[in-house]
Amino acid sequence: MTNHTGRRVTANISLTLDGHYSGPGGPGDMGAIVSYATTDVARAHLARIHETATTAVLGRLNAEGFLGFWPTVAADENADPRDRAYAKWLTDAEKVVFSTTLAEAPWDRARVVNAPAAEVVAGLKANGDGDILVNSSASVIKALLADDLIDRLYLMICPEITGGGQRLFADGLPASKWGLAYQEAGELGEMALVYDRVR
């Protein structure tokens, strides 16, 4: 499908050195990731991911977690300004939530979809303005990588090896080439990376 709007599909996720987005304890095992989430580099990365985005795409579990947490940050005048800016963006942005169990969205400016990710994102790209950000929702990112629909990858690499857990880049993805658009290292060894798809 030709993209007449110029909208890009961007995706953000944090990974360990061995490529996991959660530890061997399951999806809630985020110990190797969370300790790097509030560094200056991570907060600058957070500011970067939403600066050109107008639509947030989330899986249901992330939507429940994010939309239960970030609105309180948006209302907290003592929160870090970078966290608060992201929180306000997420609260105000159009949100598309993938779910097979929800019938409707309990959040403002959100709608639930139960359809293939490629189909939904192609529809989003064909209309509107601004980038489409898939934030930390690995199941959606994996589906879009499988269909080569991601134009920009925001990665936060955390310098830990979990030795197990869920991987983002599974065998069998279509081959693709990416160009480094930005990199920044933090004091704890964390790396913020931005890669653009070379087409």
Side-chain angles (χ1 to χ4, degrees):
M1 173 182 288
T2 302
N3 179 12
H4 297 291
T5 65
R7 300 192 86 183
R8 298 181 304 174
V9 180
T10 69
N12 173 64
I13 196 162
S14 295
L15 300 173
T16 61
L17 283 181
D18 53 347
H20 296 113
Y21 57 85
S22 64
D29 183 358
M30 302 296 290
I33 304 285
V34 168
S35 56
Y36 303 93
T38 56
T39 67
D40 280 341
V41 167
R43 283 188 158 126
H45 187 71
L46 185 67
R48 195 174 301 114
I49 66 171
H50 70 88
E51 64 187 357
T52 57
T54 56
T55 301
V57 174
L58 300 164
R60 179 185 58 82
L61 289 177
N62 265 355
E64 290 174 346
F66 284 9
L67 299 173
F69 172 74
W70 285 106
T72 62
V73 177
D76 182 359
E77 294 181 3
N78 296 316
D80 183 279
R82 297 161 292 185
D83 294 350
R84 198 162 181 224
Y86 173 75
K88 286 181 176 179
W89 174 82
L90 183 63
T91 301
D92 293 341
E94 170 194 28
K95 291 170 279 291
V96 177
V97 178
F98 283 89
S99 176
T100 58
T101 57
L102 291 177
E104 59 185 47
W107 310 286
D108 290 339
R109 297 185 182 89
R111 64 184 169 97
V112 169
V113 295
N114 182 5
E119 179 182 306
V120 172
V121 167
L124 290 171
K125 283 187 78 166
N127 297 287
D129 299 306
D131 290 342
I132 301 157
L133 170 63
V134 186
N135 193 12
S136 300
S137 295
S139 63
V140 179
I141 296 171
K142 288 178 177 181
L144 296 177
L145 284 170
D147 284 311
D148 194 18
L149 290 175
I150 294 180
D151 301 303
R152 169 167 277 197
L153 272 174
Y154 295 99
L155 300 175
M156 177 62 71
I157 305 300
C158 303
E160 297 197 20
I161 292 173
T162 60
Q166 297 176 298
R167 290 185 186 280
L168 181 66
F169 301 109
D171 288 346
L173 288 174
S176 59
K177 185 173 183 178
W178 298 79
L180 181 64
Y182 185 82
Q183 61 180 328
E184 183 177 10
E187 292 183 0
L188 300 179
E190 75 279 21
M191 287 283 298
L193 300 169
V194 182
Y195 283 100
D196 287 328
R197 178 74 170 91
V198 177
R199 298 188 188 277

